[in-house]
Amino acid sequence: MNFTIIAVLLLFKSYSQEIPFIKVNKEKLGISTLKVDVEVYGNIATTTYDMLFFNPTNKILEGELNFPLGEGQDVVRLALEINGHLRESVVVEKELGRIAFEAVVRRGVDPVLLEKVTGNNYKARIYPIPANGYKRIVLAFTQKLQYQDEGQEIHLPFNFNKVLDKFRVHVAVFTEAKKPLVKSNSLDLKFTKNQLSYTALFEKENYLLNKNLDLIIPIQKNNSAIIRSDNYFYLSQQIKPEYELRDKPKSIDIFWDASYSMRNRDIESELKLLDLYFSDIQNLTVNTTIFSNEILEKYKFKINNGNWNELRTVLKTVVYDGATDYCKLEDSINNSKNKTMFFFTDLMNNLSEWESNFKANVFVVNSISISNHELARKIVKNNSGDYINLKKIKIEEALHLLKYKKYELIAIETNNDKTEIYPKQFGSISNGINISGSNFVKGQIIKLKFGYKNDVQKVLKYIIPSETINNGKLDKIFVNNKIKHLQKNKESNKEEIISLSKKYNVISDFTSMIVLDDVRDYLKYNIEPPVDLKEAYEQLKKSKDSIIVFRNVLERNIDDDIELNEGEEIIGIEEDEIEEIVINPSIVPVEAAKSELRRPNLQSRRMVRERSSQDIIAAPRSEDVSSKKNRYKGSLKVAVINNNAKYLQPYSNLKSEKAYYNFYLKQRENYVEYSAYLIDIYDLFIKKGYATYANRILSNLIELDVDNYEKLKVYAYKLEKSKQNKLTVIVYKMILKLRPEDSQSYRDLALAYQTIGEFNKAAELLNYIISGEIYKKSHRRKFSGINSISKNEIQQLFSINKKQIKEPINEKYAAKTNFDIRVVIDWNHNDTDMDLHIIEPTLEECYYGHQSTEIGGKMSDDMTQGFGPEEYTLKKAKKGLYYIKVKYYGDRYQKIENPTFIKVTIFRDYGKKNETKEIKVIRLSGKSKDYILAKIKV
């Protein structure tokens, strides 16, 4: 088929939630200039947003770029303007990307790292956004377009409430069909025919963009198209099969997700779908379960003659609060005798490790853009149910999927066994399919077989054409399909996924997009640079004109294997730590590069990086770091940290548990974005004995910000304190998955495993740190302090649980470790400087500058980066009072909505049978402050 008539088959329905935005605290940063380009080839559309964000304040701002996408949409481009020029991103393995990004940030330079998080949402930290200045960002995504009867539909949502300095939109649809029709109340686009395409341009200055772009392109029914570009082909087929009706159920189960992330669901569309469904079924029984972090309510309704008003009222009045735990539904699912189940959810499970095992036919109904589409497809794969994404299809089509049996693409056959074709499996087909392939020959035949399960109803044949088109996106479409297939068993296919992602510059679950400022950083971390830096990159590797020495320790904690004498500054390193990199002085000035040698580590025992008004400065510590006996002369009084937050005051007038919760529901929208608010309300409810509501409220921490490891850590701390040990393990597993480069992630999970009796798993993880195995992966930071702390913990593990540990990791760990007193601190923010001080009964103060005391107190090495820990131990405690003091120097990215929390763990008789443990979780504020947090009486 001639390519020029292909686009008449297409529907472009854009279902991304909104255009990309930068969030600064609770507000969205305004866009001053917006350029949008849409290109449609075949049924592939590429949309590019070129955005100029403006900071109207007198402060340098830090924001978070968010880009939520719908099912089937994939990011294919990220670019950032640097010194007046666009710098394109490159794809890098997620862990290495974070390591490089954070290391460069510690030097006072701020690159961009775009990461894909759960629910096809993309995030990037953006800093600096200059005071009264601009930040230009370009993002593009592709999508396979959907078929509908009425024609191609292009929808771009624009809902600005402020005037744009400049706005431009350009649309190009490559087709010989009738020109696109502009819907009423849409932007006024004028299309003209340009050989193989229809194009339209709309641009204005000082324009209030408060109208969406809505277009219709006429469509021919039951047509197909197959196009090729280089070694890739793309096949789209519109199909309208003869459907077979499902049997009408007499009873169904509805599981209704009431977690906080569902508060923005399209409730009207969901209720309309049920209205049409019950009108068709007429008479049935509906068992309804409302759930979030636990089962909230259960109901049983009788629907007669399609009247479901009672159930409708219940669903309309659901309160959305808490995280999501599907494991709480296992008994209801396993004990149900119904053959049909409805899950109204976004599939964002975050409180359990849940493997779906349904005997029934399951319909997953979703109306939220940020959703786990992959899990939804997995659930319905092996049963006759379906995934109904109401952000993607219309209600009438959704009803069709409920009423009729699943019509599928059963098999794809070709006469060339070297050809790769994806996807390999499809869900139901209501109006069309799209496949892509590679490694083919001219004239090759592709055969598609359609039907119900193994019953083939229709066979269609295609011949790969000899003509090619100039569309560079077919390779990305193909590789994205292949990666999605590999990600069904992603752990076993990890290396192949990473290799494909880097080769084709597309994001996967294991990769991210990064933009770095300095070509030397690309070389240092072995990251292939964008085109504009290729020449400089190659010259750095090959030129012999001059030699620049790079220090491996620029991004390492200065404690690592480097001993300092009293008064020494860090200005160089040992010879065996030196990498020699040859550089052409025309690329990077020699003098500028030599300055690398003189730069001190930005966070050492005597130097801490602090941020003031978003600027980073170096501030020397004021403590006396002499080795002489240090007598404490300050006030010995445990701080009473009163919480005087205004939002807590109204609760004092309330009398009942229900009154507390109802007031919280009214109040929360003003504060819920702030972690501290949720934790304060949780503490208030716990104090009152309202634990059920308290746990639900606290779980919102992980609903509000997908994959935020800092909030996850605070949540885990609170779970530890309340001894919710199984849930603690799940949360620390999530953190390890998000940050496998941090030794603290392994230690946290190991200690959590120990609390639930998984001693072998705990020992393996601790040994992974102590043995140094964890650091064999390139560029991971090494913290010497954590090794000695982990060694104490693995020896304690062996001392108490040796019989339960089947295979000792190492016999030397079997040595008994016990202390009368052991105090450990951890914190939730990366690159935070916190010091533990213990004031002993003799008034001798033990801390990083005075690590050993006369009575035997020992302080671990200073931890000025990472998340801690720091540890004080004492073998034989002298009678008296021991005061626990923390010195907080501040952290690099202190935010109002995500403050620093510290976990203080106090052990008595550590490593003995009568060991006790107490945990305190405290919010800190105010840099360079001393806090006496507790005292121990012996």
Side-chain angles (χ1 to χ4, degrees), residues 75 90-93 232 420 422 424 438-439 475-487 490 492-513:
V75 170
V90 295
V91 169
V92 64
E93 187 177 350
Y232 303 92
E420 288 187 87
Y422 299 96
K424 291 186 178 295
S438 182
N439 297 325
D475 58 341
K476 293 186 183 295
I477 294 289
F478 169 78
V479 79
N480 273 320
N481 282 336
K482 182 172 182 178
I483 286 173
K484 286 171 186 176
H485 174 75
L486 292 171
Q487 284 181 168
K490 59 185 179 183
S492 57
N493 294 323
K494 182 176 180 179
E495 294 305 317
E496 185 177 1
I497 292 170
I498 292 171
S499 176
L500 286 169
S501 297
K502 292 167 70 174
K503 179 179 179 181
Y504 290 88
N505 212 47
V506 297
I507 293 183
S508 70
D509 286 354
F510 298 116
T511 55
S512 303
M513 284 181 168

Side-chain angles (χ1 to χ4, degrees), residues 767-907:
N767 185 64
Y768 190 54
I769 299 170
I770 299 164
S771 66
E773 187 70 24
I774 186 176
Y775 305 113
K776 288 184 178 179
K777 195 153 186 179
S778 179
H779 298 291
R780 282 181 173 175
R781 287 187 294 170
K782 182 180 178 183
F783 302 98
S784 61
I786 201 171
N787 278 31
S788 60
I789 294 171
S790 297
K791 189 174 293 185
N792 283 335
E793 287 161 343
I794 201 171
Q795 289 178 343
Q796 180 260 13
L797 179 68
F798 274 82
S799 296
I800 299 177
N801 309 291
K802 187 174 182 178
K803 291 182 179 180
Q804 288 93 334
I805 299 176
K806 296 178 181 179
E807 297 180 5
I809 303 298
N810 192 311
E811 284 297 330
K812 68 180 180 181
Y813 300 145
K816 288 187 177 181
T817 292
N818 54 71
F819 303 104
D820 284 355
I821 296 175
R822 180 175 183 252
V823 179
V824 183
I825 61 169
D826 304 83
W827 48 89
N828 71 312
H829 275 186
N830 195 7
D831 291 333
T832 296
D833 194 0
M834 198 95 62
D835 288 334
L836 173 63
H837 294 234
I838 301 294
I839 303 158
E840 297 173 339
T842 61
L843 296 184
E844 189 172 2
E845 186 173 6
C846 190
Y847 68 110
Y848 78 90
H850 185 68
Q851 293 179 266
S852 300
T853 66
E854 287 185 348
I855 66 171
K858 302 288 184 184
M859 185 64 64
S860 63
D861 290 342
D862 190 22
M863 194 76 71
T864 59
Q865 297 181 22
F867 310 89
E870 291 191 9
E871 172 198 61
Y872 169 83
T873 56
L874 180 61
K875 285 277 188 183
K876 299 293 182 181
K878 178 182 176 68
K879 286 188 177 182
L881 294 175
Y882 295 78
Y883 290 87
I884 301 170
K885 185 179 83 168
V886 168
K887 179 82 170 180
Y888 174 44
Y889 284 91
D891 54 83
R892 184 177 296 273
Y893 302 116
Q894 177 66 278
K895 297 180 183 179
I896 296 173
E897 75 274 17
N898 192 12
T900 298
F901 285 82
I902 183 172
K903 179 182 70 170
V904 182
T905 309
I906 304 169
F907 294 93

Side-chain angles (χ1 to χ4, degrees), residues 103-110 127 602 609 616 892:
V104 172
V105 165
R106 288 183 203 105
R107 300 209 313 266
V109 180
D110 289 85
Y127 179 89
L602 299 179
R609 293 286 298 265
I616 299 175
R892 184 177 296 273

Side-chain angles (χ1 to χ4, degrees), residues 116-129:
K116 180 182 178 183
V117 297
T118 307
N120 207 27
N121 191 28
Y122 297 80
K123 291 184 177 182
R125 174 179 165 270
I126 303 296
Y127 179 89
I129 308 170

Side-chain angles (χ1 to χ4, degrees), residues 146-173:
Q146 305 299 307
Y147 292 112
Q148 296 288 350
D149 288 333
E150 65 270 24
Q152 303 173 189
E153 180 179 321
I154 297 178
H155 171 72
L156 292 178
F158 300 126
N159 54 355
F160 291 87
N161 54 18
K162 294 182 180 180
V163 172
L164 295 176
D165 293 340
K166 293 181 181 179
F167 171 67
R168 173 187 178 275
V169 61
H170 179 263
V171 180
V173 180

Side-chain angles (χ1 to χ4, degrees), residues 22-125:
I22 292 179
K23 184 178 177 183
V24 179
N25 295 329
K26 291 180 67 175
E27 304 299 323
K28 291 180 182 178
L29 199 66
I31 292 179
S32 65
T33 298
L34 174 64
K35 298 177 183 179
V36 181
D37 283 279
V38 180
E39 289 186 347
V40 179
Y41 286 88
N43 73 332
I44 304 167
T46 302
T47 303
T48 302
Y49 294 105
D50 189 334
M51 302 160 289
L52 193 65
F53 292 91
F54 177 63
N55 172 12
T57 74
N58 294 321
K59 295 181 179 180
I60 297 173
L61 293 181
E62 173 191 341
E64 182 181 78
L65 177 71
N66 283 262
F67 193 14
L69 290 178
E71 184 185 12
Q73 297 176 325
D74 300 292
V75 170
V76 293
R77 183 187 179 198
L78 164 69
L80 180 73
E81 188 174 272
I82 297 176
N83 298 325
H85 300 283
L86 272 182
R87 171 74 49 79
E88 296 291 336
S89 66
V90 295
V91 169
V92 64
E93 187 177 350
K94 261 189 176 180
E95 179 180 327
L96 180 60
R98 280 191 304 270
I99 290 172
F101 174 85
E102 293 175 1
V104 172
V105 165
R106 288 183 203 105
R107 300 209 313 266
V109 180
D110 289 85
V112 170
L113 182 73
L114 184 73
E115 294 188 289
K116 180 182 178 183
V117 297
T118 307
N120 207 27
N121 191 28
Y122 297 80
K123 291 184 177 182
R125 174 179 165 270

Side-chain angles (χ1 to χ4, degrees), residues 27 86 97 137 186 224 297 347 454 514 636 657 771 833 848 934:
E27 304 299 323
L86 272 182
I137 298 169
S186 178
S224 63
E297 299 285 352
L347 271 300
N454 296 321
I514 195 167
L636 286 173
E657 182 176 11
S771 66
D833 194 0
Y848 78 90

